[in-house]
Amino acid sequence: MLSGKLAVITGSNSGIGLGIAKVLAKQGADIVINSFSDTSDDYAIATDIASEFNVNARYISADMSDAAQCRALIAQAGEVDILVNNAGIQHVAPIEEFPIDTWNAIIAINMSSAFHTSAVAVDGMRKRGWGRIVNIASAHGLTASPYKSAYVTAKHGIVGLSKTVALETAEDPITCNAICPGYVLTPLVEAQIPDTMEQYGMDRETVVRDVLLQRQPSRQFATTEQIGGTTAFLCSPAADQITGTTISVDGGWTAL
Ligand code: NAD
């Protein structure tokens, strides 16, 4: 369904981004895998996707905390039809202890990177007459939790950016939407469990059950495949008139 399309997924050597890359490749899209680490494992991920799904896939290293590198990623990728802004980091701390550098990094990687990549990608999408921008926001783009000031701010910001880009491209065959996942068990979530244990004075099992999944009425983690499937749906003809909105994949979190 997506053969002939080129998809760039930022932050895709792990977790949700890798899951999205595999689902889009399964549908025939050519893939650009991105991270900032530039290791042989990163290049191997692209090689494996190319051989498993019989598509073109390559790895481009670019640090999404750096405006110039965000822009260069899109320029280097070529004719980008599908842009998935997924790169993200997290830090859990009370606001009065929140490190300033970490605040700046989260705002840059989780929010401003999508401004830079979209600003470069939209022009080519307009010229070629088709484009899909999918921003991976979060349930924290619609609601808040304590101790996540930078993350909640960035995710609310990317929801606003999605609406604005959607309006600016509304008369073109381009859509821009945000997916708002609840908890997905990826390295990003694994990494915040110890901090949350400390903040709440709980053991791991209690944090998972009573803090993470307490907000998720299904009491199940969403999966990377489900976020990939939602991204593929937004790239399908059924979603041609879906733009400037959010789709929650959160087990009912935002219905509460
Ligand atoms: P992850 O840690 O598995 O993946 C994060 C990805 O971002 C990695 O590929 C990493 O290489 C990349 N990345 C980090 N800093 C980067 C930088 N400076 N430049 C380029 N790439 C960088 O985490 P994940 O859970 O898969 O998260 C992916 C996205 O989904 C994030 O935006 C996150 O906020 C969002 N999200 C995750 C969950 C969840 O429960 N896991 C829920 C809602 C939203």
Side-chain angles (χ1 to χ4, degrees), residues 129 136 169 189:
I136 306 304
T169 57
V189 169

PDB file of all heavy atoms in Angstrom, residues 129 136 169 189:
ATOM      1  N   GLY A 129       2.776  16.653  -4.248  1.00  0.00           N
ATOM      2  CA  GLY A 129       1.325  16.472  -4.157  1.00  0.00           C
ATOM      3  C   GLY A 129       0.875  15.362  -3.224  1.00  0.00           C
ATOM      4  O   GLY A 129      -0.208  14.797  -3.396  1.00  0.00           O
ATOM      5  N   ILE A 136       4.459  11.795  17.121  1.00  0.00           N
ATOM      6  CA  ILE A 136       4.183  10.909  18.252  1.00  0.00           C
ATOM      7  C   ILE A 136       4.194  11.768  19.514  1.00  0.00           C
ATOM      8  O   ILE A 136       5.253  12.113  20.043  1.00  0.00           O
ATOM      9  CB  ILE A 136       5.201   9.746  18.329  1.00  0.00           C
ATOM     10  CG1 ILE A 136       5.242   8.998  16.981  1.00  0.00           C
ATOM     11  CG2 ILE A 136       4.819   8.813  19.482  1.00  0.00           C
ATOM     12  CD1 ILE A 136       3.908   8.444  16.474  1.00  0.00           C
ATOM     13  N   THR A 169      -1.384  23.390   5.751  1.00  0.00           N
ATOM     14  CA  THR A 169      -1.306  22.476   4.602  1.00  0.00           C
ATOM     15  C   THR A 169      -2.687  21.950   4.201  1.00  0.00           C
ATOM     16  O   THR A 169      -2.788  21.027   3.390  1.00  0.00           O
ATOM     17  CB  THR A 169      -0.398  21.269   4.924  1.00  0.00           C
ATOM     18  OG1 THR A 169      -0.900  20.605   6.088  1.00  0.00           O
ATOM     19  CG2 THR A 169       1.036  21.688   5.171  1.00  0.00           C
ATOM     20  N   VAL A 189      10.219   3.885  28.963  1.00  0.00           N
ATOM     21  CA  VAL A 189       9.388   3.641  30.143  1.00  0.00           C
ATOM     22  C   VAL A 189      10.183   2.868  31.191  1.00  0.00           C
ATOM     23  O   VAL A 189      10.132   3.190  32.390  1.00  0.00           O
ATOM     24  CB  VAL A 189       8.091   2.903  29.741  1.00  0.00           C
ATOM     25  CG1 VAL A 189       7.342   2.402  30.965  1.00  0.00           C
ATOM     26  CG2 VAL A 189       7.200   3.849  28.945  1.00  0.00           C
TER      27      VAL A 189
END
